Every structure is written in structure tokens, then in C-alpha cells.
Amino acid sequence: MTNATMALAELAEKGADVDVLRQMVQFMAQRLMELDVEGRCGAAYDEKSPERLNSRNGYRERTWDTRAGSVELKIPKLRQGSYFPEFLEPRRTAEKALTAVIQEAYVQGISTRSVDDLVKSLGMSGVSKSQVSRLCGELDERVNAFLGRQIEGDWPYLWIDATYVKTREAGRIVSVAVIVAVGVNTDGQREVLGLKVGASEAEPFWTEFLRSLNRRGLRGVKLVISDSHEGIKAAAAKVLKATWQRCRVHFMRNALAHAGKTQRRMVSAAIGTVFVQDTADAARAQWRSVADQLRDKFPKLGTLMDDAENDVLAFMTFPRAHWTQIYSTNPLERLNAEIKRRTNVVGIFPNDASITRLVGAMMLEQNDEWSLNRRYMQLEGLQTLSDTAPTRLSAVAR
């Protein structure tokens, strides 16, 4: 365990240039093989025990190609018989199987029956409760380091939203909010900036979350994109002092709720004419015209449009090249859908820490994938949103 902890610490010390996901996959695959071989031998490495059934005989190297890159593994050898982990066999969904084992280890740290079944389905001999606990502890270090890292640079755009999962609390099953913040910096790169689990989406909860991002270095936020939750809006105004963009997609859902089923297509088309305008002034004029046209037949919708005009059209005061990406929370909605898909497998979490462990690992993986892709947003206009003046080098005579 000491050696494993030292190895994990060494990975963390390598800094931000290390491919975090590849290192994590390599580390966990190696640890799972070590635990499997320990179970087959009936004793730990170099341990003298009358219950020992077999002993080790060195390692053989094997390259494992994954979506995160090539991972170099050392496969243990046994003196009696041979050993080869089945999750490395061809034609198997290796990464999905490994992720499933780790995922169950995350959320079942106090009950290892499911972990045992999954490990056995990979051709291993199962793991004990103490082994699962060790694996969870090792992974917590990586996830917590990711979620607590310093945020550098300016982040003009920030998307924040919440989804709900179930957990046990004092013998009861309750729903808790999992809030995620995603930002785009002045280099056009997208990152997951923060994650927090809490009892509700009340304003104090959002305020503390945003302040925690500030303490980690978040700065330069010009536009916050979210749904119309009052807690988010109040906290963003108080902590970030940034413009708030009400998600256009959420607004359309609210607007169509005031129209009958047979009239919703007409209402949607009428409001849609606002968003095809070329300038903010033209859009505002069209917005007021549409509101007046709908007011007589749908008075509540007219009032809604009057109240929401500035918030729904806020994105139009920013560079036009970014409009399609900043008018809604769609980028975060897709992330939340993946969180729900993965957490539904678990059902009910044993505690808040297990939620952070699983969702934090997902965010770490997503962040790594984003870093490998091309920039999310065009650079055009981003530098004008930066609070940090660009460094200019003086000309050098040749």
C-alpha cells in the first residue's frame, strides 16, 4: 500500500503536462492486476503465509492501446500456471469493463458484493472490502486534486447547471443537487472548472460554490449562462458581477407552456423570428413586436416576454461568432445527460462522497477528452473580453 501511495504521489507531482486520464487508467489497471494475483496466490507479495497457493515469478511487459493513448503495463507472472487478465483479451470492451469495476468500487466502498461480481466477470477472483477501500482512497486523491486545482487565465464564458441524484442520509433516501461549472478561456479552450454536491440549489449554496471557484483563481467572467433559477442568478450577480444569460431553450419551454398544443408551433415560429436578426437592436425591436402580437391572445406569455427580454437577448451584446454557443446551456445539458446515464446505473448512492468520486472521475475524463480536441470556440472576439492586456514584444532590428 505504501508503494502504491508513493507511485500515486509521483504521478501527481508531474504536473499539468501529464495525460491525466492515461495515467489513471494505467495506474488502476496495474493495481487491479496486483490485487487479482494476490488473491490467486493466497498471500501478498513477499508475504510468508501457510495459506499461500502460488508465488510470483516476475513480470512481462504489454502495451495496451486505449482511447486515452498507449498504456504500458507489467503483467505479473506466476510460478505455477499462467496469468493473463481477461480485460486485455481482444474483442472485449476493455475500457468499459474496467470503468464498470472502478465505478462500482467508487460507490460500493461499504459493500463489496457488486464489486466482487464485476471483478469475477472479468475473469478475476474478486476483491475484499479492504482492497476496495484502498482503491477508492487512491482514486480519491486524483479526483480531489483535479477538482481542487488552480484555475489560471481569464474565463469570459461560464455555464453552470445542476442535476439531481439520490443518496442515503440518516436512514432516508433523499435527492441532492450535483452542480457543475464549465468555462471557456481566452484561448478558446473548454474545461470543467468545478463540481459540488449539496442539499438544494438555494442561493447560499450557489454563492459558496462560486466563491470557491474565485478562491481557486477564477477571473474575467463576462457572461454566465444558466436556466432561470433565482438562486443562480442572485449568486452570479453577487459573486461574479457578470452579465447573466437566460438559457434560450429553457425560456422557449416556459413560453410554450402558456399556449395550447395546437398553437405552440405558431408561437415557436413567431418567437424564432427574433433570433434570426443580425443585430441586438433589431432583435429587441422584433422581440417587442412579437410580444405585442401575442399579448391579446396569450396575456401571460406577453408578460413573460416583457420580463425576460434583457436576459434572453443578453448574448447578442457579445461577439457574433460566439452566439450559437452562448445562448443556451446545451453544452452543459449534454454533460448532465451523461451524468444521469452513469449515475442511474448506481441508483442510490451510499453518501455524498461517493457521488463526488464517481461524477468527479467522469468530469476528469471529459476534461481530458476536451483537451485533445480542437479549440471549442473561435478566437475571434475572445481577446477583447480579456481583463489581462496581451503582452507585446518590442521590435528587434535585424
Side-chain angles (χ1 to χ4, degrees):
M1 178 60 184
T2 302
N3 292 336
T5 304
M6 291 174 62
L8 188 63
E10 290 172 2
L11 293 180
E13 290 173 358
K14 290 184 179 180
D17 292 333
V18 177
D19 186 332
V20 179
L21 177 60
R22 180 175 54 82
Q23 293 277 349
M24 179 177 170
V25 171
Q26 179 187 41
F27 184 81
M28 287 308 305
Q30 197 68 51
R31 292 291 294 136
L32 284 172
M33 287 191 293
E34 296 291 341
L35 293 173
D36 186 29
V37 169
E38 181 177 319
R40 291 171 183 251
C41 291
Y45 178 76
D46 206 28
E47 177 187 3
K48 299 187 183 303
S49 171
E51 298 178 0
R52 176 179 289 278
L53 305 174
N54 205 337
S55 57
R56 296 167 177 257
N57 189 26
Y59 296 89
R60 66 179 181 276
E61 295 184 355
R62 166 71 180 261
T63 300
W64 185 23
D65 292 326
T66 73
R67 287 182 301 165
S70 296
V71 175
E72 298 297 328
L73 298 177
K74 292 184 177 180
I75 301 176
K77 296 196 298 185
L78 301 176
R79 293 194 179 277
Q80 300 176 22
S82 61
Y83 171 74
F84 189 80
E86 289 193 19
F87 65 82
L88 293 181
E89 292 284 354
R91 298 181 300 279
R92 297 202 56 171
T93 318
E95 288 176 87
K96 289 184 179 179
L98 179 60
T99 301
V101 173
I102 297 172
Q103 177 177 312
E104 285 298 314
Y106 283 161
V107 299
Q108 298 293 345
I110 58 174
S111 173
T112 59
R113 180 178 302 173
S114 297
V115 182
D116 242 11
D117 293 341
L118 280 167
V119 172
K120 287 175 181 176
S121 73
L122 297 177
M124 300 179 182
S125 58
V127 293
S128 68
K129 180 175 179 179
S130 62
Q131 290 170 332
V132 170
S133 180
R134 283 177 0 203
L135 286 174
C136 289
E138 292 161 2
L139 285 166
D140 279 346
E141 292 186 43
R142 300 308 301 269
V143 171
N144 291 337
F146 168 69
L147 296 178
R149 73 194 187 282
Q150 280 298 113
I151 302 173
E152 300 179 352
D154 289 347
W155 299 82
Y157 300 127
L158 183 72
W159 292 261
I160 51 179
D161 199 5
T163 188
Y164 281 81
V165 299
K166 295 185 183 299
T167 185
R168 295 186 185 277
E169 183 178 292
R172 299 180 298 115
I173 298 174
V174 298
S175 291
V176 294
V178 179
I179 60 176
V180 177
V182 170
V184 168
N185 61 20
T186 49
D187 292 326
Q189 297 295 333
R190 177 171 49 162
E191 288 190 20
V192 176
L193 298 181
L195 164 72
K196 190 174 180 63
V197 178
S200 70
E201 291 186 77
E203 180 186 339
F205 179 52
W206 281 109
T207 300
E208 174 53 32
F209 174 64
L210 294 178
R211 283 175 176 165
S212 71
L213 296 182
N214 280 349
R215 288 193 292 269
R216 289 170 46 212
L218 179 66
R219 68 173 188 267
V221 178
K222 303 299 183 185
L223 183 67
V224 176
I225 305 103
S226 74
D227 60 21
S228 60
H229 193 287
E230 289 300 322
I232 300 178
K233 185 177 180 180
K238 181 189 302 182
V239 179
L240 301 177
K241 296 179 173 59
T243 303
W244 178 61
Q245 167 65 41
R246 180 174 181 173
C247 174
R248 195 173 95 183
V249 176
H250 283 82
F251 168 77
M252 287 298 292
R253 292 174 189 164
N254 298 147
L256 294 179
H258 295 296
K261 290 184 179 180
T262 60
Q263 300 162 322
R264 288 176 183 173
R265 180 173 295 182
M266 178 273 292
V267 170
S268 178
I271 298 176
T273 62
V274 174
F275 304 116
V276 298
Q277 305 301 314
D278 292 330
T279 65
D281 290 340
R284 291 182 183 279
Q286 181 66 12
W287 180 281
R288 288 189 287 270
S289 175
V290 171
D292 291 339
Q293 292 173 20
L294 298 175
R295 194 181 312 279
D296 290 340
K297 195 168 188 178
F298 309 103
K300 291 184 179 179
L301 177 55
T303 302
L304 175 65
M305 292 188 67
D306 291 340
D307 295 338
E309 176 182 344
N310 292 331
D311 298 331
V312 177
L313 300 181
F315 73 96
M316 286 190 163
T317 61
F318 289 82
R320 184 180 178 84
H322 306 157
W323 283 7
T324 58
Q325 293 158 303
I326 63 174
Y327 70 65
S328 75
T329 59
N330 278 353
L332 203 47
E333 291 291 336
R334 288 191 287 270
L335 200 58
N336 279 341
E338 182 62 15
I339 291 174
K340 293 297 287 185
R341 187 182 71 83
R342 298 282 288 274
T343 55
N344 284 343
V345 174
V346 179
I348 302 170
F349 286 81
N351 49 51
D352 288 355
S354 62
I355 300 173
T356 302
R357 193 177 297 129
L358 173 57
V359 180
M362 290 175 58
M363 297 303 97
L364 187 153
E365 181 177 344
Q366 181 62 73
N367 210 64
D368 189 82
E369 290 185 7
W370 283 344
S371 69
L372 298 176
N373 297 334
R374 61 184 177 86
R375 64 172 56 94
Y376 176 70
M377 192 169 283
Q378 295 183 31
L379 290 177
E380 178 187 351
L382 278 174
Q383 292 299 327
T384 64
L385 301 175
S386 175
D387 291 335
T388 306
T391 302
R392 297 183 178 273
L393 300 178
S394 58
V396 178
R398 296 191 178 184

